[in-house]
Structure formats: C-alpha cells, structure tokens
Amino acid sequence: MREHDQLRLSQCDAADAIKRSPGGLEKWLGHTVKKSFAQVTMAQVTGESMWVKITGVEGNQLVGTLVNEPCLATYLQHGDRVILAEDEIFAVDVG
C-alpha cells in the first residue's frame, strides 16, 4: 500500500473512532476534518473535499472555518464559516 493511501485510511479510521466515542459534538472541537462540498452547474454536479477546522457547536451542528482554498466549489473561500453535521465528516487530520 502506498504511503498516501495509508495516510488516507488512517484519517478515515480516526474519524470513525471519534464518531463512535462517547460524548456529544464537543468531542470534535479543535479537530480539522474533511467534508465534501457540491458544486452544481447547468452542465454537471461535481464535488470537492476540503478541510474544516471545528471551532464550535450550535445545537446539533458543528461550526468551523474552511482551511482550503477551493478549486471547484467557487461559492466558498478560504476562511469561510462552515456548518456541518457529524455524519458529513469522513476524515480527520492526523498529522
């Protein structure tokens, strides 16, 4: 297995482990997580996965700041506020 593939697998495993751990959404505070964002145009629907630094919890939603500079999701910018559900997280930065 290539090093890149091993890192991606460990990032996904880390996300699954946090999801299964006890506690509320506060367990995500301070983590940088990966989420997919859709870009819809008249011609097609594409997706882009980007990193979000979790900074807060509002009700049953996580709040964070976009860490990436989007390439495809042109409606977003680095530093934008992002609201997401726990089930949208598929990886955690383990580096």
Side-chain angles (χ1 to χ4, degrees):
M1 184 179 293
R2 294 186 339 222
E3 185 177 331
H4 180 274
D5 293 334
Q6 287 178 318
L7 177 60
R8 184 170 185 272
L9 182 60
S10 66
Q11 291 171 337
C12 294
D13 288 345
D16 289 340
I18 294 171
K19 285 179 184 178
R20 289 190 308 268
S21 69
L25 293 176
E26 291 77 15
K27 63 189 172 192
W28 292 101
L29 290 174
H31 286 285
T32 301
V33 302
K34 198 169 248 190
K35 173 198 178 331
S36 291
F37 295 85
Q39 174 70 29
V40 180
T41 65
M42 295 296 283
Q44 64 183 352
V45 176
T46 57
E48 182 173 7
S49 298
M50 291 184 279
W51 293 104
V52 176
K53 175 79 172 188
I54 302 299
T55 58
V57 176
E58 291 182 3
N60 62 351
Q61 301 276 322
L62 295 162
V63 179
T65 303
L66 187 64
V67 178
N68 291 92
E69 188 65 49
C71 294
L72 301 174
T74 56
Y75 59 95
L76 292 168
Q77 295 180 4
H78 175 270
D80 277 357
R81 183 174 189 260
V82 176
I83 298 174
L84 63 152
E86 183 177 34
D87 64 358
E88 295 178 273
I89 296 170
F90 66 88
V92 175
D93 185 9
V94 295

